[in-house]
Amino acid sequence: MIPETILAKIDGNRTRYVDELLAFLKIPSVSTYSVNHKDVRRAAEWVFNHLKRLGFQSSIHETKNHPVVFGQRCKREGAPTLLIYGHYDVQPPEPLEDWCSPPFQPRIHNGCVYARGASDDKGQFFTYLKAIEAILAVEAELPINVKLLIEGEEEIGSPSLLPFLQSHKKLLDADAVAISDTSQFEQGIPAITYGLRGLLYFQVEVTGPRFDLHSGSFGGLVANPVQILAEMISKLKNPDDTVSIPGFYEDVLPLQDWERHEMESLQYNEEELKNYLGVDKLTGERGYSAMERKTARPTLDINGIWGGFSGEGAKTIIPARAGAKVSMRLVPNQKFATISGLFKRYLESLSPKGVQVKVTELNGADPVLVMRDRHSVQAAARAIEIGFGKRPVFIREGGSIPIVNLLQKELGIEDTLLLGWGSPDDGAHSPNEKFSLQDFHRGIRSAAALFYELAPK
Ligand code: BES
Ligand code: MN
Ligand code: MN
């Protein structure tokens, strides 16, 4: 059990922790933008310096793109080793006009900090650094061995992570991994996540005539790329909201009865969700609850579409090109590499003569289920109870974290603890992303308690 003195330390330093988080949130570490390349590195160095100050043996590892920050403090022989993973990169903040305050000038309002990355994932993984600091302020040593792996490419699909894991197996060796990059079930009801969906992302480009044409002079003679793209896209889904790619559902693991009952017992409030989202109807595959559809069923989405004229007024053209970003959320036991082949083959079959269709895979991550019946999971549940004052529920989440599957496959780590301190309405990837300062505080307490719950009795 964690000593009360450490929890008191955490409570006493609450405002300083927030000030430090604000400084971190000011760094615009948008991994997908090349203009932010230096800022991303600055965020890596910020984490690296922080780890060094905590007495961690730390290093910055170069990759093809953004660096990986690693640190370890392994001074407890015989005690288990916990690897903590997080990401210091963030999503682009656009549309800027929808923010109430600038995304990289953090603002505190109604007990929350508003900034890009507040919840996803800077604020969440920072809790572990403050937990470590508090323990070391009271005790001479951490109760277990701790390693940290903080990367800067999560939001672009972690392309450098697989080679890094493969070439640093020894360095990363651990008994369990903790990741706080998910959410509570709802604010005040903490959760341990045992499943994540995978992701497969494509860019589709359709090219027609060499340049935009007068639609009067040439209309009726050439295929219109925007029209063709729209038709192709409309054929990706059936009217009942299922995905029409042949073979897409082949490997889908059906929901088990116990799991459906458990999900139902959580009483996910669909009415409240509709209000929050501002829609008058939830859609999706028939025969599945909202909770099931968003966490355990695969989906396909158009993320964006472009082409032709969209300026003020009217312009009569046949556009030369059009494009779209298409992504799929995958569930166990779908494999992104297999689905990628199916998608490309299907699009080829939909491509008419008169245009060129180019399909580019942007990234992929496999879905994952982690074990629930492990001692480490029970330890995490007790730690959360100390931090949040409530036992966690078990949930699956619909988002993706590429490393979770890789940890199982490449490092053979079975104990993966997905401990979300955030709230489902934090607005990750949306304008006005926020993180509740109370959740931040409870996260730090839970993280500190976790070290003690994992320690040998
Ligand atoms: N923190 C999220 C993952 C997440 C989202 C977990 C929602 C649970 C619920 C992560 O930063 C993320 O956004 N991942 C990307 C993955 C991708 C770029 C490979 C995602 O899910 O879109
Ligand atoms: Mn994240
Ligand atoms: Mn994210």
Side-chain angles (χ1 to χ4, degrees), residues 85 124 128 177-184 190-197 368-371 376-377 380 384 392-397 399-401 403-405 407-408 415-421 450:
Y85 165 88
Q124 291 212 59
Y128 291 90
V177 180
I179 303 176
S180 290
D181 194 23
T182 51
S183 301
Q184 303 171 56
I192 292 180
T193 293
Y194 66 94
L196 290 167
R197 289 197 287 190
V368 73
L369 286 170
V370 300
M371 299 223 245
S376 62
V377 175
I384 288 172
V393 296
F394 283 89
I395 58 171
R396 282 166 75 161
E397 287 248 52
S400 317
I401 308 175
I403 196 176
V404 180
N405 191 281
L407 286 170
Q408 284 185 357
D415 292 65
T416 308
L417 308 170
L418 299 170
L419 315 175
W421 313 145
L450 178 65

mmCIF file of all heavy atoms in Angstrom, residues 85 124 128 177-184 190-197 368-371 376-377 380 384 392-397 399-401 403-405 407-408 415-421 450:
data_model
loop_
_atom_site.group_PDB
_atom_site.id
_atom_site.type_symbol
_atom_site.label_atom_id
_atom_site.label_comp_id
_atom_site.label_asym_id
_atom_site.label_seq_id
_atom_site.Cartn_x
_atom_site.Cartn_y
_atom_site.Cartn_z
ATOM 1 N N TYR A 85 4.382 3.674 -21.141
ATOM 2 C CA TYR A 85 4.401 4.219 -22.503
ATOM 3 C C TYR A 85 3.498 5.443 -22.582
ATOM 4 O O TYR A 85 2.431 5.497 -21.961
ATOM 5 C CB TYR A 85 3.926 3.162 -23.503
ATOM 6 C CG TYR A 85 3.568 3.731 -24.872
ATOM 7 C CD1 TYR A 85 4.545 3.879 -25.857
ATOM 8 C CD2 TYR A 85 2.269 4.136 -25.164
ATOM 9 C CE1 TYR A 85 4.229 4.420 -27.101
ATOM 10 C CE2 TYR A 85 1.936 4.668 -26.403
ATOM 11 C CZ TYR A 85 2.925 4.808 -27.366
ATOM 12 O OH TYR A 85 2.597 5.352 -28.593
ATOM 13 N N GLN A 124 -1.926 13.085 -19.602
ATOM 14 C CA GLN A 124 -2.098 11.742 -19.031
ATOM 15 C C GLN A 124 -0.764 11.080 -18.687
ATOM 16 O O GLN A 124 -0.602 10.541 -17.598
ATOM 17 C CB GLN A 124 -2.897 10.856 -19.990
ATOM 18 C CG GLN A 124 -4.357 11.275 -20.117
ATOM 19 C CD GLN A 124 -5.265 10.073 -20.370
ATOM 20 O OE1 GLN A 124 -5.321 9.140 -19.577
ATOM 21 N NE2 GLN A 124 -5.977 10.100 -21.478
ATOM 22 N N TYR A 128 2.581 10.111 -14.500
ATOM 23 C CA TYR A 128 3.569 9.136 -14.009
ATOM 24 C C TYR A 128 4.842 9.846 -13.550
ATOM 25 O O TYR A 128 5.465 9.450 -12.566
ATOM 26 C CB TYR A 128 3.890 8.091 -15.097
ATOM 27 C CG TYR A 128 2.712 7.182 -15.348
ATOM 28 C CD1 TYR A 128 1.750 7.497 -16.306
ATOM 29 C CD2 TYR A 128 2.528 6.020 -14.599
ATOM 30 C CE1 TYR A 128 0.652 6.688 -16.517
ATOM 31 C CE2 TYR A 128 1.437 5.199 -14.805
ATOM 32 C CZ TYR A 128 0.501 5.534 -15.763
ATOM 33 O OH TYR A 128 -0.589 4.732 -15.959
ATOM 34 N N VAL A 177 3.284 -3.404 -18.695
ATOM 35 C CA VAL A 177 3.297 -2.082 -19.330
ATOM 36 C C VAL A 177 2.083 -1.304 -18.854
ATOM 37 O O VAL A 177 0.992 -1.869 -18.744
ATOM 38 C CB VAL A 177 3.242 -2.210 -20.866
ATOM 39 C CG1 VAL A 177 3.249 -0.835 -21.522
ATOM 40 C CG2 VAL A 177 4.400 -3.026 -21.382
ATOM 41 N N ALA A 178 2.278 -0.041 -18.559
ATOM 42 C CA ALA A 178 1.140 0.825 -18.210
ATOM 43 C C ALA A 178 1.031 1.937 -19.238
ATOM 44 O O ALA A 178 2.035 2.554 -19.607
ATOM 45 C CB ALA A 178 1.321 1.416 -16.816
ATOM 46 N N ILE A 179 -0.176 2.149 -19.724
ATOM 47 C CA ILE A 179 -0.425 3.197 -20.716
ATOM 48 C C ILE A 179 -1.666 3.969 -20.292
ATOM 49 O O ILE A 179 -2.725 3.385 -20.091
ATOM 50 C CB ILE A 179 -0.663 2.589 -22.120
ATOM 51 C CG1 ILE A 179 0.524 1.718 -22.535
ATOM 52 C CG2 ILE A 179 -0.918 3.695 -23.139
ATOM 53 C CD1 ILE A 179 0.329 0.999 -23.866
ATOM 54 N N SER A 180 -1.511 5.269 -20.140
ATOM 55 C CA SER A 180 -2.681 6.102 -19.863
ATOM 56 C C SER A 180 -2.920 6.968 -21.086
ATOM 57 O O SER A 180 -2.407 8.087 -21.204
ATOM 58 C CB SER A 180 -2.456 6.944 -18.605
ATOM 59 O OG SER A 180 -2.459 6.088 -17.473
ATOM 60 N N ASP A 181 -3.673 6.438 -22.017
ATOM 61 C CA ASP A 181 -3.962 7.133 -23.280
ATOM 62 C C ASP A 181 -5.377 6.764 -23.726
ATOM 63 O O ASP A 181 -5.686 6.754 -24.905
ATOM 64 C CB ASP A 181 -2.913 6.732 -24.332
ATOM 65 C CG ASP A 181 -2.924 7.641 -25.544
ATOM 66 O OD1 ASP A 181 -3.386 8.790 -25.417
ATOM 67 O OD2 ASP A 181 -2.490 7.198 -26.621
ATOM 68 N N THR A 182 -6.209 6.402 -22.762
ATOM 69 C CA THR A 182 -7.615 6.066 -23.015
ATOM 70 C C THR A 182 -8.454 6.930 -22.060
ATOM 71 O O THR A 182 -7.957 7.925 -21.563
ATOM 72 C CB THR A 182 -7.846 4.560 -22.759
ATOM 73 O OG1 THR A 182 -7.315 4.225 -21.469
ATOM 74 C CG2 THR A 182 -7.155 3.704 -23.804
ATOM 75 N N SER A 183 -9.694 6.527 -21.807
ATOM 76 C CA SER A 183 -10.560 7.345 -20.951
ATOM 77 C C SER A 183 -11.192 6.525 -19.845
ATOM 78 O O SER A 183 -11.232 5.304 -19.904
ATOM 79 C CB SER A 183 -11.711 7.949 -21.753
ATOM 80 O OG SER A 183 -11.232 8.736 -22.777
ATOM 81 N N GLN A 184 -11.761 7.254 -18.894
ATOM 82 C CA GLN A 184 -12.675 6.633 -17.943
ATOM 83 C C GLN A 184 -13.937 6.243 -18.722
ATOM 84 O O GLN A 184 -14.147 6.703 -19.846
ATOM 85 C CB GLN A 184 -13.067 7.638 -16.854
ATOM 86 C CG GLN A 184 -11.891 8.220 -16.087
ATOM 87 C CD GLN A 184 -12.325 9.357 -15.175
ATOM 88 O OE1 GLN A 184 -13.193 9.188 -14.325
ATOM 89 N NE2 GLN A 184 -11.731 10.516 -15.357
ATOM 90 N N PRO A 190 -14.050 5.422 -13.244
ATOM 91 C CA PRO A 190 -12.796 5.034 -13.893
ATOM 92 C C PRO A 190 -12.913 3.677 -14.573
ATOM 93 O O PRO A 190 -13.798 2.886 -14.230
ATOM 94 C CB PRO A 190 -11.799 4.993 -12.737
ATOM 95 C CG PRO A 190 -12.612 4.798 -11.505
ATOM 96 C CD PRO A 190 -13.943 5.441 -11.770
ATOM 97 N N ALA A 191 -12.021 3.430 -15.529
ATOM 98 C CA ALA A 191 -12.102 2.195 -16.304
ATOM 99 C C ALA A 191 -10.724 1.630 -16.587
ATOM 100 O O ALA A 191 -9.752 2.366 -16.711
ATOM 101 C CB ALA A 191 -12.814 2.458 -17.621
ATOM 102 N N ILE A 192 -10.686 0.317 -16.673
ATOM 103 C CA ILE A 192 -9.529 -0.370 -17.233
ATOM 104 C C ILE A 192 -9.971 -0.867 -18.600
ATOM 105 O O ILE A 192 -11.014 -1.522 -18.722
ATOM 106 C CB ILE A 192 -9.079 -1.533 -16.329
ATOM 107 C CG1 ILE A 192 -8.522 -0.965 -15.012
ATOM 108 C CG2 ILE A 192 -8.029 -2.393 -17.049
ATOM 109 C CD1 ILE A 192 -8.039 -2.025 -14.034
ATOM 110 N N THR A 193 -9.215 -0.513 -19.634
ATOM 111 C CA THR A 193 -9.575 -0.898 -20.997
ATOM 112 C C THR A 193 -8.902 -2.217 -21.349
ATOM 113 O O THR A 193 -7.709 -2.380 -21.093
ATOM 114 C CB THR A 193 -9.158 0.223 -21.974
ATOM 115 O OG1 THR A 193 -9.964 1.365 -21.720
ATOM 116 C CG2 THR A 193 -9.350 -0.206 -23.420
ATOM 117 N N TYR A 194 -9.684 -3.165 -21.900
ATOM 118 C CA TYR A 194 -9.073 -4.451 -22.257
ATOM 119 C C TYR A 194 -9.115 -4.724 -23.760
ATOM 120 O O TYR A 194 -8.682 -5.784 -24.204
ATOM 121 C CB TYR A 194 -9.734 -5.602 -21.480
ATOM 122 C CG TYR A 194 -11.184 -5.855 -21.844
ATOM 123 C CD1 TYR A 194 -11.522 -6.811 -22.804
ATOM 124 C CD2 TYR A 194 -12.201 -5.135 -21.250
ATOM 125 C CE1 TYR A 194 -12.844 -7.041 -23.150
ATOM 126 C CE2 TYR A 194 -13.523 -5.351 -21.589
ATOM 127 C CZ TYR A 194 -13.834 -6.301 -22.535
ATOM 128 O OH TYR A 194 -15.145 -6.517 -22.878
ATOM 129 N N GLY A 195 -9.612 -3.772 -24.530
ATOM 130 C CA GLY A 195 -9.614 -3.964 -25.981
ATOM 131 C C GLY A 195 -9.513 -2.644 -26.713
ATOM 132 O O GLY A 195 -10.046 -1.634 -26.256
ATOM 133 N N LEU A 196 -8.780 -2.652 -27.823
ATOM 134 C CA LEU A 196 -8.676 -1.463 -28.669
ATOM 135 C C LEU A 196 -8.926 -1.885 -30.111
ATOM 136 O O LEU A 196 -8.588 -3.012 -30.502
ATOM 137 C CB LEU A 196 -7.272 -0.862 -28.586
ATOM 138 C CG LEU A 196 -6.860 -0.197 -27.273
ATOM 139 C CD1 LEU A 196 -5.342 0.054 -27.289
ATOM 140 C CD2 LEU A 196 -7.607 1.112 -27.055
ATOM 141 N N ARG A 197 -9.508 -0.995 -30.896
ATOM 142 C CA ARG A 197 -9.655 -1.315 -32.314
ATOM 143 C C ARG A 197 -8.368 -1.007 -33.062
ATOM 144 O O ARG A 197 -7.530 -0.240 -32.598
ATOM 145 C CB ARG A 197 -10.833 -0.523 -32.907
ATOM 146 C CG ARG A 197 -12.160 -1.047 -32.394
ATOM 147 C CD ARG A 197 -13.334 -0.595 -33.245
ATOM 148 N NE ARG A 197 -13.649 0.819 -33.046
ATOM 149 C CZ ARG A 197 -14.743 1.393 -33.535
ATOM 150 N NH1 ARG A 197 -15.598 0.680 -34.263
ATOM 151 N NH2 ARG A 197 -14.977 2.677 -33.321
ATOM 152 N N VAL A 368 -6.513 -5.184 -30.786
ATOM 153 C CA VAL A 368 -5.942 -5.984 -29.702
ATOM 154 C C VAL A 368 -6.933 -6.183 -28.549
ATOM 155 O O VAL A 368 -7.787 -5.338 -28.284
ATOM 156 C CB VAL A 368 -4.630 -5.309 -29.198
ATOM 157 C CG1 VAL A 368 -4.923 -4.060 -28.398
ATOM 158 C CG2 VAL A 368 -3.781 -6.267 -28.385
ATOM 159 N N LEU A 369 -6.818 -7.341 -27.932
ATOM 160 C CA LEU A 369 -7.491 -7.605 -26.652
ATOM 161 C C LEU A 369 -6.386 -7.945 -25.672
ATOM 162 O O LEU A 369 -5.464 -8.672 -26.012
ATOM 163 C CB LEU A 369 -8.449 -8.789 -26.773
ATOM 164 C CG LEU A 369 -9.763 -8.544 -27.524
ATOM 165 C CD1 LEU A 369 -10.495 -9.853 -27.765
ATOM 166 C CD2 LEU A 369 -10.644 -7.575 -26.752
ATOM 167 N N VAL A 370 -6.458 -7.409 -24.445
ATOM 168 C CA VAL A 370 -5.445 -7.760 -23.452
ATOM 169 C C VAL A 370 -6.092 -8.569 -22.332
ATOM 170 O O VAL A 370 -7.296 -8.532 -22.126
ATOM 171 C CB VAL A 370 -4.720 -6.514 -22.880
ATOM 172 C CG1 VAL A 370 -4.021 -5.752 -23.978
ATOM 173 C CG2 VAL A 370 -5.674 -5.608 -22.130
ATOM 174 N N MET A 371 -5.253 -9.309 -21.624
ATOM 175 C CA MET A 371 -5.775 -10.208 -20.592
ATOM 176 C C MET A 371 -6.270 -9.443 -19.369
ATOM 177 O O MET A 371 -5.657 -8.483 -18.943
ATOM 178 C CB MET A 371 -4.686 -11.184 -20.189
ATOM 179 C CG MET A 371 -4.270 -12.019 -21.375
ATOM 180 S SD MET A 371 -4.074 -13.693 -20.896
ATOM 181 C CE MET A 371 -2.341 -13.849 -21.161
ATOM 182 N N SER A 376 -1.448 -8.227 -12.199
ATOM 183 C CA SER A 376 -1.159 -6.806 -12.451
ATOM 184 C C SER A 376 -2.450 -6.013 -12.665
ATOM 185 O O SER A 376 -2.545 -4.846 -12.289
ATOM 186 C CB SER A 376 -0.240 -6.666 -13.666
ATOM 187 O OG SER A 376 -0.882 -7.171 -14.819
ATOM 188 N N VAL A 377 -3.446 -6.664 -13.255
ATOM 189 C CA VAL A 377 -4.719 -5.978 -13.497
ATOM 190 C C VAL A 377 -5.437 -5.726 -12.171
ATOM 191 O O VAL A 377 -6.002 -4.644 -11.942
ATOM 192 C CB VAL A 377 -5.605 -6.798 -14.473
ATOM 193 C CG1 VAL A 377 -6.977 -6.165 -14.630
ATOM 194 C CG2 VAL A 377 -4.916 -6.914 -15.827
ATOM 195 N N ALA A 380 -3.725 -2.883 -10.551
ATOM 196 C CA ALA A 380 -4.139 -1.612 -11.162
ATOM 197 C C ALA A 380 -5.517 -1.193 -10.659
ATOM 198 O O ALA A 380 -5.766 -0.015 -10.391
ATOM 199 C CB ALA A 380 -4.132 -1.736 -12.684
ATOM 200 N N ILE A 384 -6.328 2.300 -8.768
ATOM 201 C CA ILE A 384 -7.343 3.249 -9.243
ATOM 202 C C ILE A 384 -8.338 3.550 -8.124
ATOM 203 O O ILE A 384 -8.786 4.682 -7.952
ATOM 204 C CB ILE A 384 -8.045 2.688 -10.501
ATOM 205 C CG1 ILE A 384 -7.076 2.739 -11.683
ATOM 206 C CG2 ILE A 384 -9.328 3.450 -10.807
ATOM 207 C CD1 ILE A 384 -7.570 2.048 -12.939
ATOM 208 N N PRO A 392 -12.677 0.508 -10.696
ATOM 209 C CA PRO A 392 -12.875 0.717 -12.135
ATOM 210 C C PRO A 392 -13.810 -0.326 -12.746
ATOM 211 O O PRO A 392 -13.940 -1.433 -12.220
ATOM 212 C CB PRO A 392 -11.461 0.549 -12.693
ATOM 213 C CG PRO A 392 -10.779 -0.369 -11.731
ATOM 214 C CD PRO A 392 -11.370 -0.066 -10.377
ATOM 215 N N VAL A 393 -14.441 0.039 -13.845
ATOM 216 C CA VAL A 393 -15.177 -0.935 -14.652
ATOM 217 C C VAL A 393 -14.265 -1.352 -15.811
ATOM 218 O O VAL A 393 -13.273 -0.688 -16.099
ATOM 219 C CB VAL A 393 -16.497 -0.342 -15.199
ATOM 220 C CG1 VAL A 393 -17.437 -0.006 -14.058
ATOM 221 C CG2 VAL A 393 -16.243 0.904 -16.059
ATOM 222 N N PHE A 394 -14.613 -2.463 -16.466
ATOM 223 C CA PHE A 394 -13.828 -2.930 -17.612
ATOM 224 C C PHE A 394 -14.539 -2.551 -18.904
ATOM 225 O O PHE A 394 -15.743 -2.808 -19.048
ATOM 226 C CB PHE A 394 -13.621 -4.441 -17.538
ATOM 227 C CG PHE A 394 -12.573 -4.826 -16.533
ATOM 228 C CD1 PHE A 394 -12.915 -5.070 -15.210
ATOM 229 C CD2 PHE A 394 -11.245 -4.896 -16.919
ATOM 230 C CE1 PHE A 394 -11.937 -5.400 -14.279
ATOM 231 C CE2 PHE A 394 -10.262 -5.229 -15.993
ATOM 232 C CZ PHE A 394 -10.608 -5.482 -14.669
ATOM 233 N N ILE A 395 -13.800 -1.937 -19.819
ATOM 234 C CA ILE A 395 -14.401 -1.537 -21.099
ATOM 235 C C ILE A 395 -13.463 -1.850 -22.267
ATOM 236 O O ILE A 395 -12.270 -2.075 -22.075
ATOM 237 C CB ILE A 395 -14.721 -0.010 -21.137
ATOM 238 C CG1 ILE A 395 -13.459 0.833 -20.910
ATOM 239 C CG2 ILE A 395 -15.791 0.338 -20.113
ATOM 240 C CD1 ILE A 395 -13.665 2.325 -21.142
ATOM 241 N N ARG A 396 -14.046 -1.855 -23.462
ATOM 242 C CA ARG A 396 -13.235 -1.827 -24.675
ATOM 243 C C ARG A 396 -13.371 -0.431 -25.243
ATOM 244 O O ARG A 396 -14.381 0.222 -25.063
ATOM 245 C CB ARG A 396 -13.760 -2.864 -25.692
ATOM 246 C CG ARG A 396 -13.332 -4.271 -25.354
ATOM 247 C CD ARG A 396 -14.109 -5.299 -26.131
ATOM 248 N NE ARG A 396 -13.695 -5.387 -27.531
ATOM 249 C CZ ARG A 396 -13.967 -6.455 -28.307
ATOM 250 N NH1 ARG A 396 -14.626 -7.486 -27.820
ATOM 251 N NH2 ARG A 396 -13.581 -6.488 -29.568
ATOM 252 N N GLU A 397 -12.326 0.050 -25.915
ATOM 253 C CA GLU A 397 -12.378 1.380 -26.508
ATOM 254 C C GLU A 397 -12.272 1.259 -28.018
ATOM 255 O O GLU A 397 -11.697 0.296 -28.542
ATOM 256 C CB GLU A 397 -11.227 2.248 -25.981
ATOM 257 C CG GLU A 397 -11.441 2.691 -24.530
ATOM 258 C CD GLU A 397 -11.681 4.180 -24.398
ATOM 259 O OE1 GLU A 397 -12.566 4.716 -25.099
ATOM 260 O OE2 GLU A 397 -10.983 4.801 -23.581
ATOM 261 N N GLY A 399 -10.775 3.501 -30.111
ATOM 262 C CA GLY A 399 -9.578 4.092 -30.696
ATOM 263 C C GLY A 399 -8.457 3.067 -30.816
ATOM 264 O O GLY A 399 -8.626 1.891 -30.471
ATOM 265 N N SER A 400 -7.321 3.538 -31.316
ATOM 266 C CA SER A 400 -6.191 2.636 -31.581
ATOM 267 C C SER A 400 -4.908 3.173 -30.963
ATOM 268 O O SER A 400 -4.666 4.374 -30.972
ATOM 269 C CB SER A 400 -5.983 2.497 -33.090
ATOM 270 O OG SER A 400 -7.212 2.336 -33.750
ATOM 271 N N ILE A 401 -4.102 2.283 -30.430
ATOM 272 C CA ILE A 401 -2.763 2.626 -29.947
ATOM 273 C C ILE A 401 -1.832 1.547 -30.487
ATOM 274 O O ILE A 401 -1.795 0.436 -29.959
ATOM 275 C CB ILE A 401 -2.703 2.685 -28.396
ATOM 276 C CG1 ILE A 401 -3.819 3.597 -27.835
ATOM 277 C CG2 ILE A 401 -1.344 3.168 -27.932
ATOM 278 C CD1 ILE A 401 -3.914 3.611 -26.318
ATOM 279 N N ILE A 403 1.146 0.585 -30.390
ATOM 280 C CA ILE A 403 2.161 -0.153 -29.633
ATOM 281 C C ILE A 403 1.571 -1.354 -28.880
ATOM 282 O O ILE A 403 2.271 -2.335 -28.629
ATOM 283 C CB ILE A 403 2.904 0.758 -28.631
ATOM 284 C CG1 ILE A 403 4.199 0.053 -28.168
ATOM 285 C CG2 ILE A 403 2.030 1.127 -27.450
ATOM 286 C CD1 ILE A 403 5.088 0.845 -27.253
ATOM 287 N N VAL A 404 0.308 -1.296 -28.527
ATOM 288 C CA VAL A 404 -0.241 -2.328 -27.646
ATOM 289 C C VAL A 404 -0.146 -3.705 -28.289
ATOM 290 O O VAL A 404 0.265 -4.686 -27.657
ATOM 291 C CB VAL A 404 -1.696 -1.995 -27.246
ATOM 292 C CG1 VAL A 404 -2.258 -3.063 -26.332
ATOM 293 C CG2 VAL A 404 -1.746 -0.642 -26.548
ATOM 294 N N ASN A 405 -0.482 -3.774 -29.555
ATOM 295 C CA ASN A 405 -0.375 -5.040 -30.269
ATOM 296 C C ASN A 405 1.095 -5.448 -30.454
ATOM 297 O O ASN A 405 1.456 -6.616 -30.305
ATOM 298 C CB ASN A 405 -1.066 -4.888 -31.633
ATOM 299 C CG ASN A 405 -1.230 -6.209 -32.325
ATOM 300 O OD1 ASN A 405 -0.269 -6.705 -32.902
ATOM 301 N ND2 ASN A 405 -2.400 -6.789 -32.233
ATOM 302 N N LEU A 407 3.606 -4.774 -28.561
ATOM 303 C CA LEU A 407 4.202 -5.235 -27.302
ATOM 304 C C LEU A 407 3.982 -6.729 -27.117
ATOM 305 O O LEU A 407 4.878 -7.463 -26.703
ATOM 306 C CB LEU A 407 3.591 -4.490 -26.116
ATOM 307 C CG LEU A 407 4.023 -3.047 -25.918
ATOM 308 C CD1 LEU A 407 3.152 -2.372 -24.876
ATOM 309 C CD2 LEU A 407 5.485 -2.962 -25.527
ATOM 310 N N GLN A 408 2.757 -7.150 -27.412
ATOM 311 C CA GLN A 408 2.442 -8.581 -27.312
ATOM 312 C C GLN A 408 3.265 -9.380 -28.324
ATOM 313 O O GLN A 408 3.891 -10.370 -27.980
ATOM 314 C CB GLN A 408 0.954 -8.822 -27.602
ATOM 315 C CG GLN A 408 0.029 -8.434 -26.474
ATOM 316 C CD GLN A 408 -1.431 -8.810 -26.778
ATOM 317 O OE1 GLN A 408 -1.752 -9.311 -27.848
ATOM 318 N NE2 GLN A 408 -2.310 -8.555 -25.823
ATOM 319 N N ASP A 415 1.100 -8.529 -19.862
ATOM 320 C CA ASP A 415 0.445 -7.652 -18.886
ATOM 321 C C ASP A 415 0.438 -6.215 -19.394
ATOM 322 O O ASP A 415 1.411 -5.488 -19.218
ATOM 323 C CB ASP A 415 1.176 -7.724 -17.541
ATOM 324 C CG ASP A 415 1.009 -9.078 -16.884
ATOM 325 O OD1 ASP A 415 1.502 -10.071 -17.459
ATOM 326 O OD2 ASP A 415 0.390 -9.150 -15.815
ATOM 327 N N THR A 416 -0.649 -5.839 -20.027
ATOM 328 C CA THR A 416 -0.767 -4.472 -20.523
ATOM 329 C C THR A 416 -1.890 -3.781 -19.771
ATOM 330 O O THR A 416 -3.037 -4.243 -19.798
ATOM 331 C CB THR A 416 -1.056 -4.463 -22.032
ATOM 332 O OG1 THR A 416 -0.082 -5.277 -22.687
ATOM 333 C CG2 THR A 416 -0.980 -3.059 -22.591
ATOM 334 N N LEU A 417 -1.569 -2.703 -19.093
ATOM 335 C CA LEU A 417 -2.548 -1.985 -18.279
ATOM 336 C C LEU A 417 -2.930 -0.699 -18.991
ATOM 337 O O LEU A 417 -2.108 0.212 -19.127
ATOM 338 C CB LEU A 417 -1.943 -1.673 -16.908
ATOM 339 C CG LEU A 417 -1.348 -2.882 -16.174
ATOM 340 C CD1 LEU A 417 -0.558 -2.438 -14.942
ATOM 341 C CD2 LEU A 417 -2.452 -3.859 -15.786
ATOM 342 N N LEU A 418 -4.160 -0.661 -19.497
ATOM 343 C CA LEU A 418 -4.649 0.539 -20.179
ATOM 344 C C LEU A 418 -5.527 1.306 -19.198
ATOM 345 O O LEU A 418 -6.693 0.960 -18.983
ATOM 346 C CB LEU A 418 -5.427 0.143 -21.439
ATOM 347 C CG LEU A 418 -4.605 -0.630 -22.488
ATOM 348 C CD1 LEU A 418 -5.506 -1.195 -23.574
ATOM 349 C CD2 LEU A 418 -3.538 0.266 -23.099
ATOM 350 N N LEU A 419 -4.916 2.299 -18.571
ATOM 351 C CA LEU A 419 -5.560 2.986 -17.447
ATOM 352 C C LEU A 419 -5.861 4.422 -17.838
ATOM 353 O O LEU A 419 -4.986 5.288 -17.806
ATOM 354 C CB LEU A 419 -4.618 2.953 -16.229
ATOM 355 C CG LEU A 419 -3.956 1.586 -15.959
ATOM 356 C CD1 LEU A 419 -2.964 1.697 -14.809
ATOM 357 C CD2 LEU A 419 -5.008 0.520 -15.669
ATOM 358 N N GLY A 420 -7.096 4.665 -18.249
ATOM 359 C CA GLY A 420 -7.446 5.998 -18.743
ATOM 360 C C GLY A 420 -7.811 6.945 -17.618
ATOM 361 O O GLY A 420 -8.724 6.680 -16.851
ATOM 362 N N TRP A 421 -7.087 8.057 -17.560
ATOM 363 C CA TRP A 421 -7.451 9.096 -16.569
ATOM 364 C C TRP A 421 -8.393 10.116 -17.206
ATOM 365 O O TRP A 421 -9.045 10.877 -16.532
ATOM 366 C CB TRP A 421 -6.224 9.846 -16.050
ATOM 367 C CG TRP A 421 -5.009 9.082 -15.617
ATOM 368 C CD1 TRP A 421 -3.720 9.502 -15.779
ATOM 369 C CD2 TRP A 421 -4.923 7.828 -14.909
ATOM 370 N NE1 TRP A 421 -2.845 8.583 -15.230
ATOM 371 C CE2 TRP A 421 -3.550 7.553 -14.704
ATOM 372 C CE3 TRP A 421 -5.872 6.901 -14.450
ATOM 373 C CZ2 TRP A 421 -3.094 6.407 -14.053
ATOM 374 C CZ3 TRP A 421 -5.422 5.752 -13.818
ATOM 375 C CH2 TRP A 421 -4.053 5.520 -13.614
ATOM 376 N N LEU A 450 -0.094 2.688 -8.017
ATOM 377 C CA LEU A 450 0.191 1.519 -8.866
ATOM 378 C C LEU A 450 1.589 0.955 -8.595
ATOM 379 O O LEU A 450 1.777 -0.263 -8.513
ATOM 380 C CB LEU A 450 0.060 1.903 -10.351
ATOM 381 C CG LEU A 450 0.384 0.798 -11.356
ATOM 382 C CD1 LEU A 450 -0.621 -0.356 -11.242
ATOM 383 C CD2 LEU A 450 0.408 1.335 -12.786
#
